[in-house]
Amino acid sequence: MDFNQHSERYASDGHALFDTMRESCPVAWSEAHGGFWVASRYEDVTRIVSEYESFSSDHDLPEEVAGFPSTGTGFRGVGIPEGVVKFVPSEADPPLSTAIRRLEAPFFTPKAINGRVGAIEAATDAALDAVMAKGRIEFSEELAVPIPIMVSLPIIGIGSEEWPLFAATSSMFHIMSDSPDYPYPQIMAVQARILKLVAERRASPQHDVASALVHGQVNGESLTDAQVGTILNGLSFAGAHTVTSLILFALEYLGKHPELRAPLLADPKLLDNALEELLRFYTPFQGAGRNVVGTTEVGGQTLRHGERIYASMAAANHDPAKFECPHEIRIDRPNAREHLAFSSGLHRCLGAGLAKVQAAIIVRKILQRLPDYEIVWDDVVRSNHIGSLNTLVALPAVFKPT
């Protein structure tokens, strides 16, 4: 099939393409980016992202690039096309990926997340305080991009005030690695800052992920500075994209349906379910690649060792076999939480709980403090290029100044 998740056609009409694919060829071949398979059914996508023995996430870059020794697999990670850096543990398999997640997990427990609530509320109030007198806000630039980064950086070990450096890279991560606009300079600046952090924590450990990695062990061995830097590179961006996208699409949806604002504000459980449904419908992280191990069969197709397959979480989340009337947003959908927006299995997003708490707090704050906001529809900017990340570029709104 003529499929390219980085094309303008995909950005404008991707779900129509997936509907056709599920009915005629649920596992299809695309010639784009060197050739890869595409899976579009919920059942198949869940299997692919969960069954690491048959579908590897490994990214076998040279050690001087990846920080980790070459695995000899020749595999090309989860990005299609192949990324220029390695994101560990998302581009690694057990036992390496699970050992690293054990060191990170204590910072994402319910207790740890509850400890971040005050900081999320304070950052949101500060962002809103700065615009209340103007009567206008650009939700992306002034709220949805900076706050998730402000929240995630201290978990790693970097002060929240350094968010602009990381935002400059985060906002460009939907660009393909072979594009001249790919943010190489920003990535290099972020990597330099992270390596500085690693050196600081090796000398003086604190209660943060960087210290846990520097002074912990993975499969009985200590990590090098380069390996810790590789892990923190991925973690520094992993939590921000999904939260930013979810906030923006939620505010856009409530801009079209202002009658839902009061019910959602009055019922926290309904708001939580609505956010799950919006995650399903918009699927910020659209999909991920896997490397086929051995010979296996998916959706009636025989896949061979070394071939690539793109597991489309976006397609799975619109599979009518799983979600009734999938192209409708139903804020009370009973099985909304079964979406794959955070993937599944051993690679399910470690920060999913934090992401949902952030989004709920921020949306609730906006409904409380800007109950009359109106989207400036003529100034909304949508990307004509989605790639792996589905989000809005700009979402301006006006409201009664106070």
Side-chain angles (χ1 to χ4, degrees):
M1 296 193 71
D2 180 15
F3 177 87
N4 182 355
Q5 71 273 32
H6 296 277
S7 67
E8 291 189 17
R9 178 190 177 195
Y10 177 83
S12 64
D13 203 19
H15 286 301
L17 181 61
F18 283 134
D19 287 344
T20 301
M21 191 181 297
R22 272 191 300 270
E23 293 175 5
S24 62
C25 188
V27 176
W29 177 259
S30 168
E31 291 288 348
H33 310 300
F36 61 98
W37 296 96
V38 186
S40 55
R41 295 190 306 194
Y42 184 95
E43 179 183 3
D44 294 333
V45 170
T46 302
R47 177 193 166 198
I48 291 164
V49 298
S50 303
E51 193 178 301
Y52 69 89
E53 299 93 342
S54 299
F55 305 98
S56 170
S57 299
D58 184 40
H59 197 182
D60 188 16
L61 288 171
E63 184 171 2
E64 59 268 23
V65 175
F68 287 84
S70 175
T71 57
T73 61
F75 290 158
R76 290 173 283 168
V78 301
I80 298 177
E82 179 183 9
V84 297
V85 295
K86 182 170 182 171
F87 294 113
V88 177
S90 57
E91 290 193 313
D93 297 320
L96 176 61
S97 60
T98 49
I100 292 171
R101 284 172 67 99
R102 288 191 196 101
L103 294 176
E104 298 173 336
F107 298 91
F108 297 94
T109 62
K111 181 179 179 180
I113 293 171
N114 288 336
R116 303 284 172 185
V117 168
I120 300 168
E121 293 177 334
T124 307
D125 280 328
L128 294 176
D129 288 344
V131 301
M132 294 302 288
K134 296 191 301 183
R136 184 181 177 96
I137 183 172
E138 204 289 276
F139 281 127
S140 177
E141 180 182 353
E142 297 180 284
L143 188 139
V145 169
I147 293 178
I149 297 176
M150 288 180 188
V151 172
S152 64
L153 285 181
I155 299 174
I156 297 169
I158 296 175
S160 59
E161 71 279 358
E162 296 190 48
W163 71 266
L165 170 64
F166 292 81
T169 308
S170 179
S171 62
M172 300 173 69
F173 246 76
H174 64 285
I175 299 173
M176 286 191 296
S177 59
D178 58 358
S179 167
D181 297 325
Y182 193 75
Y184 288 106
Q186 294 90 336
I187 290 175
M188 295 300 293
V190 166
Q191 289 180 332
R193 178 62 186 94
I194 286 175
L195 287 176
K196 180 183 177 183
L197 170 67
V198 173
E200 293 169 349
R201 292 300 182 261
R202 200 168 286 283
S204 178
Q206 307 290 325
H207 182 66
D208 51 41
V209 175
S211 299
L213 294 171
V214 166
H215 297 279
Q217 289 195 329
V218 172
N219 297 329
E221 296 184 3
S222 298
L223 295 167
T224 66
D225 286 3
Q227 290 170 341
V228 175
T230 295
I231 298 167
L232 293 178
N233 280 337
L235 193 60
S236 62
F237 300 114
H241 293 144
T242 298
V243 187
T244 295
S245 176
L246 175 57
I247 293 167
L248 293 174
F249 282 123
L251 296 176
E252 181 196 40
Y253 182 72
L254 293 175
K256 296 176 181 177
H257 300 278
E259 74 280 359
L260 296 176
R261 298 180 192 183
L264 291 176
L265 188 57
D267 187 346
K269 289 185 178 180
L270 182 60
L271 175 59
D272 289 344
N273 200 78
L275 292 174
E276 299 280 7
E277 172 68 349
L278 292 169
L279 280 167
R280 179 199 70 82
F281 187 85
Y282 290 107
T283 313
F285 184 62
Q286 293 274 287
R290 291 293 189 269
N291 302 283
V292 179
V293 180
T295 300
T296 189
E297 183 177 306
V298 182
Q301 302 284 11
T302 299
L303 281 60
R304 293 174 175 80
H305 185 85
E307 291 183 334
R308 306 264 270 157
I309 185 164
Y310 180 75
S312 174
M313 273 75 93
N317 286 341
H318 284 250
D319 186 346
K322 180 66 179 181
F323 301 102
E324 182 182 9
C325 299
H327 299 322
E328 297 178 7
I329 295 177
R330 298 180 175 181
I331 62 173
D332 58 349
R333 185 181 295 274
N335 67 337
R337 294 176 182 272
E338 296 176 32
H339 62 77
L340 298 179
F342 293 110
S343 191
S344 184
L346 294 176
H347 281 291
R348 188 176 191 276
C349 178
L350 193 60
L354 178 61
K356 290 188 280 189
V357 167
Q358 283 187 79
I361 290 173
I362 293 170
V363 171
R364 189 178 299 113
K365 282 278 187 182
I366 292 170
L367 295 181
Q368 289 171 341
R369 298 189 59 182
L370 306 181
D372 62 335
Y373 81 83
E374 296 180 6
I375 302 297
V376 184
W377 296 108
D378 289 343
D379 294 337
V380 174
V381 180
R382 304 178 187 280
S383 176
N384 60 0
H385 171 88
I386 291 179
S388 295
L389 180 64
N390 183 28
T391 190
L392 295 168
V393 178
L395 187 69
V398 294
F399 53 89
K400 184 178 180 179
T402 60

